[in-house]
Amino acid sequence: MTPDGEETSALLGRLPGVRAFDLELVDAQMRTPAMRRLRFTAEGLADLDAFSGQDLMIAVPAAGQAHFRRRYTIRRLDRDAPAVFLDIVLHGDGPGAAWAGSIRAGDRVEAIGPRGKIGLAPAADWHLFCGDEAALPAIFTMVEGLPDDAHALAVLEVTGSEEEQQPEVVRVRLELDWVYRDGEPGTGTQLEEAVAGVPLPAGTGHAYVFGELRQVAACRKVLLGRGLAPEQIDHKAYWRRGVANAPHGEPLRPDT
Ligand SMILES: Cc1cc2nc3c(=O)[nH]c(=O)nc-3n(C[C@H](O)[C@H](O)[C@H](O)COP(=O)(O)OP(=O)(O)OC[C@H]3O[C@@H](n4cnc5c(N)ncnc54)[C@H](O)[C@@H]3O)c2cc1C
């Protein structure tokens, strides 16, 4: 029994279309001072059916426990190799960050996926992405997945210029607005302020907001205030300031 109370077999039975993979690390590299890219291979990746923005649920080792589950966006999937790339923020000593910072070539880990329901809104005239470092893999893979004639805007909060990255393939019209935080991650208001000020193009847009729980809620509120309807905003909290994610991988809500 895992600390989240759910065995892999039970999860696979409960989550439709989801499979288990025995990932083996091929190599790893630092993309920025705080982000490590992990390249894995596994049997079955060649026919993994995932859309841009979906993630894998990784069973990371946890002290004194079987493991915790942590979710990481599929940054890139190379079905020919086959290989899957995960970009992970090394922010501290939580089980996910500790695992991502210490895993070595040849090490293996269980993954379950694809997970996640938020994908690109095909009919939108423009796409606005908002988030922090942990959201960059999702935001960039979604930008790379847009059709060539799309218009994308992104408001991205990072520690400083050393954490800036660019999407690997940019086919769309893309406007990136980098915000440098003043203080610890998840504590400032710069992200929501930038979202309040970003010029919104004409037409019907769609917003995607990922990152720290309070900041996600604040950005969503700003966007509603700017006239977007609730159905025009997809949002998901990835982590919560000062509180470890639950063993099943989701941030705990303030009332839990
Ligand atoms: C659907 C989904 C997709 C995700 N995709 C990615 C991804 O592609 N890349 C990625 O890096 N993460 C991603 N995350 C976040 C990831 O799953 C973990 O929440 C994160 O790695 C923290 O796990 P942990 O075990 O290290 O820390 P936890 O045990 O959860 O927390 C320990 C401490 O670290 C703090 N903390 C957690 N995250 C951060 C952070 N980013 N910056 C500063 N402090 C932090 C917490 O507030 C807490 O105080 C995703 C989450 C979800 C739900």
Side-chain angles (χ1 to χ4, degrees):
M1 184 68 74
T2 64
D4 57 354
E6 229 178 336
E7 296 285 3
T8 299
S9 55
L11 278 170
L12 295 177
R14 184 168 68 77
L15 302 167
V18 164
R19 295 152 58 196
F21 299 89
D22 177 21
L23 298 184
E24 178 181 343
L25 189 76
V26 177
D27 56 27
Q29 56 162 296
M30 295 305 295
R31 298 281 292 171
T32 67
M35 182 168 287
R36 192 171 193 222
R37 169 163 291 183
L38 307 179
R39 177 163 64 123
F40 293 97
T41 191
E43 200 174 309
L45 286 179
D47 56 4
L48 171 60
D49 188 15
F51 58 78
S52 300
Q54 283 194 300
D55 60 275
L56 293 176
M57 190 186 225
I58 305 285
V60 304
Q65 307 271 11
H67 58 250
F68 283 163
R69 298 193 193 271
R70 291 289 183 256
R71 293 174 64 173
Y72 295 104
T73 305
I74 299 169
R75 177 65 187 85
R76 184 147 62 88
L77 181 61
D78 177 348
R79 292 192 177 85
D80 295 329
V84 66
F85 297 74
L86 307 179
D87 286 357
I88 301 184
V89 186
L90 306 183
H91 56 81
D93 57 3
W99 164 77
S102 61
I103 185 170
R104 297 286 169 259
D107 289 351
R108 306 180 92 90
V109 72
E110 178 197 275
I112 295 177
R115 299 293 319 274
K117 299 185 182 72
I118 300 178
L120 292 162
D125 297 314
W126 48 268
H127 304 260
L128 171 63
F129 299 90
C130 317
D132 60 11
E133 286 95 338
L136 280 182
I139 291 173
F140 283 171
T141 195
M142 292 176 85
V143 165
E144 290 163 1
L146 283 167
D148 292 3
D149 59 351
H151 183 186
L153 307 97
V155 184
L156 306 168
E157 184 193 286
V158 295
T159 304
S161 58
E162 71 282 4
E163 290 303 324
E164 286 188 16
Q165 300 181 50
Q166 297 293 323
E168 284 158 25
V169 189
V170 185
R171 294 188 308 263
V172 302
R173 178 173 163 206
L174 174 64
E175 293 159 51
L176 288 183
D177 183 5
W178 292 99
V179 179
Y180 300 150
R181 68 172 60 90
D182 180 16
E184 292 296 311
T187 58
T189 55
Q190 289 105 324
L191 183 62
E192 61 243 44
E193 285 161 13
V195 171
V198 69
L200 299 181
T204 304
H206 198 92
Y208 314 82
V209 189
F210 311 123
E212 199 279 331
L213 184 132
R214 187 202 57 80
Q215 288 184 315
V216 167
C219 290
R220 180 172 180 271
K221 192 171 165 193
V222 166
L223 291 166
L224 290 169
R226 295 195 66 181
L228 272 74
E231 60 272 20
Q232 287 175 275
I233 308 171
D234 277 314
H235 61 101
K236 182 151 187 73
Y238 281 4
W239 63 283
R240 182 176 163 201
R241 175 77 201 161
V243 182
N245 280 9
H248 56 65
E250 300 278 332
L252 291 162
R253 302 274 140 196
D255 53 7
T256 54

